[in-house]
């Protein structure tokens, strides 16, 4: 199995901050990497796929980068509705795995 | 607009089989390039992909669950089904139905989730 490791596990940030979350794959996954946001009691919401493609309707303050094994999700100008848990997910091969999640909290 | 709706038992006894039905509306499980499956989330924990299936019959299973999981599709009812056998308390989770995009293999649509508790 391909293991996905996110860092940090949690972070505290203020409105307007620039937030960066890292995701590392245990082997190369090319660009088969997506990012999700989850709010309490809700299903995950797709933000980015193919490492850097913004899903329709997602604000442009969200961006993704990286390839092979190292990826980054950046939220520029953090907004109140951006607090929650963020997951990366690899789509390489025929068995798909998520990172453990990064909780973004209010400072 | 595509919608997925889970129907689950709520409570399952240890060693029994968990059966989940996912009903799709606003789209077809027979659509090309999309896979249909399930992701679960134990209380307070992260996401775990369980299984996905293409309408043609090709199935994909999480290796850690493969021996206990079966996924199937009924295109005439626009539904797909998950069976998980020999459940234990560790299988207590919110179970989500989810559509997997077959180009870049990401989950682009999710159901609201169904909490299944394993307890006697």
């Amino acid at each position: 199995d391909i293991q996905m490791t996110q860092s940090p596990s949690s972070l505290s940030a203020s409105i307007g901050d620039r937030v960066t979350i890292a995701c590392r794959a245990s082997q190369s996954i090319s660009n088969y990497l997506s990012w999700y946001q989850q709010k309490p009691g809700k299903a995950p919401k797709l933000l980015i796929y193919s490492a850097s493609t913004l899903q329709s309707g997602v604000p442009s303050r969200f961006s993704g980068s990286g390839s092979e094994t190292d990826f980054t999700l950046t939220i520029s100008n953090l907004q109140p509705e951006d607090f929650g848990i963020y997951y990366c997910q690899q789509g390489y091969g025929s068995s798909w795995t998520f990172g453990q999640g990064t909780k973004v909290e209010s400072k | 607009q595509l919608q997925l709706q889970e129907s689950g038992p709520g409570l399952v006894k240890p060693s029994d089989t968990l059966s989940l039905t996912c009903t799709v509306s606003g789209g077809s499980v027979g659509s090309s390039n999309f896979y249909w499956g399930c992701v679960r989330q134990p209380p307070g924990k992260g996401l775990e992909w369980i299984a996905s299936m293409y309408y043609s019959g090709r199935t994909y299973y999480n290796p850690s669950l493969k021996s206990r999981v079966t996924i199937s599709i009924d295109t005439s009812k626009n539904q797909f089904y998950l069976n998980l056998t020999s459940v234990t308390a560790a299988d207590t989770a919110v179970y989500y139905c989810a559509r997997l995009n077959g180009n870049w293999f990401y989950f682009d649509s999710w159901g609201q989730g169904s909490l299944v508790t394993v307890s006697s």
Side-chain angles (χ1 to χ4, degrees):
Chain A
D1 280 9
I2 299 174
Q3 308 301 319
M4 306 300 293
T5 303
Q6 292 182 228
S7 61
S9 295
S10 65
L11 63 89
S12 299
S14 300
I15 302 303
D17 281 356
R18 181 183 181 90
V19 170
T20 300
I21 299 170
C23 178
R24 173 165 287 179
S26 60
Q27 67 181 72
S28 175
I29 57 170
S30 183
N31 286 352
Y32 288 87
L33 191 283
S34 54
W35 289 98
Y36 304 83
Q37 175 194 66
Q38 189 178 33
K39 300 285 185 72
K42 300 294 186 182
K45 172 188 173 183
L46 175 68
L47 299 174
I48 287 169
Y49 62 92
S50 68
S52 60
T53 303
L54 202 64
Q55 172 72 342
S56 176
V58 174
S60 59
R61 63 180 178 274
F62 291 92
S63 64
S65 63
S67 64
E68 306 298 338
T69 60
D70 291 293
F71 303 86
T72 299
L73 173 71
T74 300
I75 311 172
S76 61
N77 188 20
L78 189 73
Q79 295 299 298
E81 60 268 29
D82 299 337
F83 295 112
I85 302 176
Y86 291 82
Y87 295 92
C88 62
Q89 175 246 323
Q90 63 83 14
Y92 190 80
S94 59
S95 180
W96 306 298
T97 49
F98 292 87
Q100 83 278 15
T102 295
K103 188 173 185 178
V104 177
E105 299 177 297
S106 176
K107 183 181 289 184
Chain B
Q1 181 180 351
L2 183 73
Q3 291 190 322
L4 294 87
Q5 179 67 56
E6 303 87 354
S7 302
L11 181 65
V12 181
K13 289 182 167 53
S15 78
D16 281 357
T17 296
L18 183 163
S19 296
L20 187 73
T21 297
C22 302
T23 301
V24 177
S25 58
S28 172
V29 297
S31 299
S32 60
N33 214 36
F34 292 104
Y35 298 70
W36 304 89
C38 297
V39 174
R40 71 180 182 180
Q41 185 170 38
K45 297 189 177 181
L47 301 166
E48 180 180 38
W49 167 72
I50 303 171
S52 295
M53 182 173 185
Y54 199 59
Y55 76 94
S56 63
R58 187 162 186 181
T59 56
Y60 302 84
Y61 294 108
N62 184 322
S64 68
L65 297 169
K66 186 174 183 177
S67 64
R68 298 194 292 129
V69 175
T70 304
I71 190 168
S72 58
I73 277 182
D74 187 333
T75 55
S76 67
K77 293 183 178 180
N78 220 26
Q79 293 178 325
F80 59 99
Y81 313 95
L82 182 82
N83 278 350
L84 179 65
T85 63
S86 304
V87 298
T88 69
D91 295 309
T92 294
V94 174
Y95 285 75
Y96 293 102
C97 303
R99 187 179 79 170
L100 183 76
N101 184 294
N103 286 330
W104 288 95
F105 296 95
Y106 55 89
F107 297 95
D108 62 1
S109 292
W110 299 69
Q112 65 185 19
S114 177
L115 175 62
V116 179
T117 301
V118 179
S119 175
S120 56

